[in-house]
Structures are given as C-alpha cells and as structure tokens.
Amino acid sequence: MFEATTILAYKGENQAVIGGDGQVTFGNSVLKGNATKIRTLYNGKILAGFAGSTADAFNLFDMFEEHLQTTKGDLLKAVIAFSKAWRKDKVLRRLEAMMIVLNKEHIFILSGTGDVVEPEDGKIASIGSGGNFAISAARALDKHSNLEPEALVKESLMIAGELCIYTNQNIKILKIEE
C-alpha cells in the first residue's frame, strides 16, 4: 500500500479518463499539495498514473513510453514488454510502485513484481493509499448515477480525499475521447 497518492481510471464507451490527487507526503508531513501524478503518453492516445516516489515515476513513465514507441502504440503489447523489462531490471524491480495505463480499449494495473492486471469489470481501476475509497465510490456512482466519466472520476477522488489522510482534494483529470 502506498501512502501518498490516489489514482483512479475509468474507461467508458467513448472516452477514457484518469485522475489523481495532488498530495505528496513524507512520513507524517505534507510536502506538496499540487503534484501531478498523471500524464498522457504516445501523442495523447494513452493515459497513465503512478503511485510511488516521484523520481521513480519519471523513470517508469519514460521506460513505458519507449515500449509504446516500439509497439507503435499497441497498449497490450507495450504493457507485456514493459512488465517483463521492469521485472528483469535489478534496480527497478525493487521499487514499491504501481501504474495504471489505459486507452479507449484497455485498462491495466502494472506493478514492479511483474503483475499486469486488467480489472474484472474492464473499466474501473485504482491504486494508491486512497485507491480503495476511490474505487468504491466510482463503482457506486457508476451503478447508481448518470454521471459522465470525467465527473464520476472527479467526484470519486473527492470522496477519497475526505477519507484518506494521504489524499487531498486537489484533483487533476486527463481524458481521451472520440
């Protein structure tokens, strides 16, 4: 479990959305409240979010983007190649880090232990210390409301920010739509 972030992703019929809070903590102190933990990759066709240390995030995002370039943006192939490379790298495999990557067709959770997990429902995934709060809210809102994907992600992260002490309500959202 990572204490310092909450990332939530939602893959709807016509769009993919990812959001993250802005809190960075060190021990029991908040170091920063407006960090960006999500980004677009591969010419805006892939969304990614990260839970773990900031320095590790930049390295892993760059490494994943190289795999996207090699596979010409094929997310499934890039995820598998990236996961193998992450697992084989002696330094990177020791990271206690996770990523969510998605496009309009797929959504995956990646870990340094080589895990590649596609959510059971195929559309909602979360990582980080507030991830369970965010995904619970997202599932309820998805089932019992007519919120658009962007609003659903934002509201779910706001709820997580009310409950998780390592998550704030400074939410950033990125989306891909048709």
Side-chain angles (χ1 to χ4, degrees), residues 4 11 18 27 31 49 64 130:
K11 185 180 68 64
I18 194 164
L31 292 179
F64 185 69

Side-chain angles (χ1 to χ4, degrees), residues 17-161:
V17 179
I18 194 164
D21 76 306
Q23 185 164 300
V24 176
T25 58
F26 184 74
N28 61 359
S29 299
V30 175
L31 292 179
K32 185 174 183 175
N34 63 348
T36 301
K37 304 168 192 175
I38 57 174
R39 65 165 47 168
T40 59
L41 303 173
Y42 198 72
N43 302 317
K45 295 179 182 172
I46 307 288
L47 301 174
F50 180 87
S53 82
T54 306
D56 296 338
F58 290 119
N59 288 331
L60 291 172
F61 280 142
D62 290 345
M63 185 176 151
F64 185 69
E65 189 137 43
E66 288 174 19
H67 288 284
L68 283 170
Q69 296 297 332
T70 302
T71 62
K72 296 181 171 81
D74 185 319
L75 184 59
L76 181 58
K77 288 180 181 177
V79 160
I80 292 167
F82 172 73
S83 188
K84 287 178 183 178
W86 190 357
R87 182 71 179 133
K88 288 179 184 176
D89 188 293
K90 290 180 181 181
V91 175
L92 293 179
R93 73 176 172 214
R94 294 183 186 166
L95 298 180
E96 293 187 12
M98 296 183 84
M99 291 177 66
I100 294 178
V101 294
L102 73 154
N103 61 12
K104 291 183 282 187
E105 291 81 37
H106 299 286
I107 181 170
F108 298 103
I109 299 171
L110 311 173
S111 77
T113 57
D115 297 318
V116 175
V117 178
E118 189 166 20
E120 188 173 335
D121 65 6
K123 63 181 177 178
I124 305 172
S126 66
I127 57 174
S129 57
N132 287 336
F133 299 118
I135 200 166
S136 295
R139 286 178 179 165
L141 290 170
D142 187 48
K143 187 174 182 178
H144 299 290
S145 78
N146 292 320
L147 288 175
E148 292 295 318
E150 183 176 357
L152 184 143
V153 168
K154 184 171 185 175
E155 187 59 31
S156 298
L157 287 167
M158 293 295 282
I159 291 168

